[in-house]
Amino acid sequence: MRIAVLSDTHLRVGKSLPHFVWEHLTQIDMILHAGDLTHMGLLDELASIAPVRAVRGNCDGWDVPLPDRDIIECEAWRIGLVHGNVGKGNTPERAFAQFKDLSVDLVVFGHSHTPFMEWRDGILLFNPGSPTDKRREPQYSFGLLDIQPGQVKAKHLYF
């Protein structure tokens, strides 16, 4: 199963993802968005490619009909999806803590706009960065997960 991972797109009405991202959203089985869409129309655009699961970020209105966190099961892997803005510590610590007692294999999060990948206590923590708002990062980014029985491969795509 091939999963595209996005976060912190911060799109305004009438704007879309960069062409580089759309070019790489081929042969995708699912798309995860870790919050801060700010424009819900993006979910409809993404859903034309593959099923989408998304959570609300701190810049998404409280009227946005998305959960604050979610658990997605893929090929016997449990993926925790959260924005990462709630709790104590840095963003990876906050995201990790959201699933402390929920038996997940991966935690996908956003919020910091900083690409991140680290194994912690047997759980992969993965932040794709942002494809539209790189802040202090040298490049824009998003992520890909390749999940097969017994293994997961994660990578960032930079542009």
Side-chain angles (χ1 to χ4, degrees), residues 62 68 82-88 91 93-95 97-98 111:
W62 291 108
D68 292 323
V82 69
H83 188 57
N85 60 303
V86 176
K88 295 181 181 181
T91 306
E93 290 166 354
R94 291 191 301 261
Q98 289 288 310
H111 187 59

Side-chain angles (χ1 to χ4, degrees), residues 1-127:
M1 182 168 223
R2 192 162 196 225
I3 302 172
V5 184
L6 301 167
S7 187
D8 299 288
T9 48
H10 293 275
L11 290 177
R12 305 271 184 251
V13 174
K15 298 291 183 182
S16 189
L17 294 172
H19 187 68
F20 180 87
V21 177
W22 291 114
E23 287 177 345
H24 286 84
L25 293 182
T26 60
Q27 300 177 348
I28 296 292
D29 299 303
M30 180 180 285
I31 301 169
L32 303 180
H33 196 297
D36 279 359
L37 294 127
T38 65
H39 172 43
M40 293 298 293
L42 176 61
L43 292 182
D44 294 332
E45 287 183 77
L46 294 172
S48 70
I49 294 169
V52 179
R53 298 288 285 270
V55 293
R56 180 178 34 237
N58 61 299
C59 291
D60 295 319
W62 291 108
D63 59 339
V64 170
L66 294 173
D68 292 323
R69 70 177 177 184
D70 197 2
I71 296 178
I72 299 101
E73 296 193 21
C74 300
E75 304 286 339
W77 290 80
R78 288 174 47 91
I79 303 171
L81 180 63
V82 69
H83 188 57
N85 60 303
V86 176
K88 295 181 181 181
N90 63 33
T91 306
E93 290 166 354
R94 291 191 301 261
F96 184 75
Q98 289 288 310
F99 297 96
K100 181 180 177 192
D101 298 319
L102 295 176
S103 184
V104 296
D105 303 295
L106 290 88
V107 174
V108 171
F109 63 100
H111 187 59
S112 66
H113 298 225
T114 302
F116 183 88
M117 183 169 27
E118 175 183 292
W119 286 94
R120 185 176 297 177
D121 298 334
I123 297 170
L124 177 61
L125 300 176
F126 188 77
N127 184 330

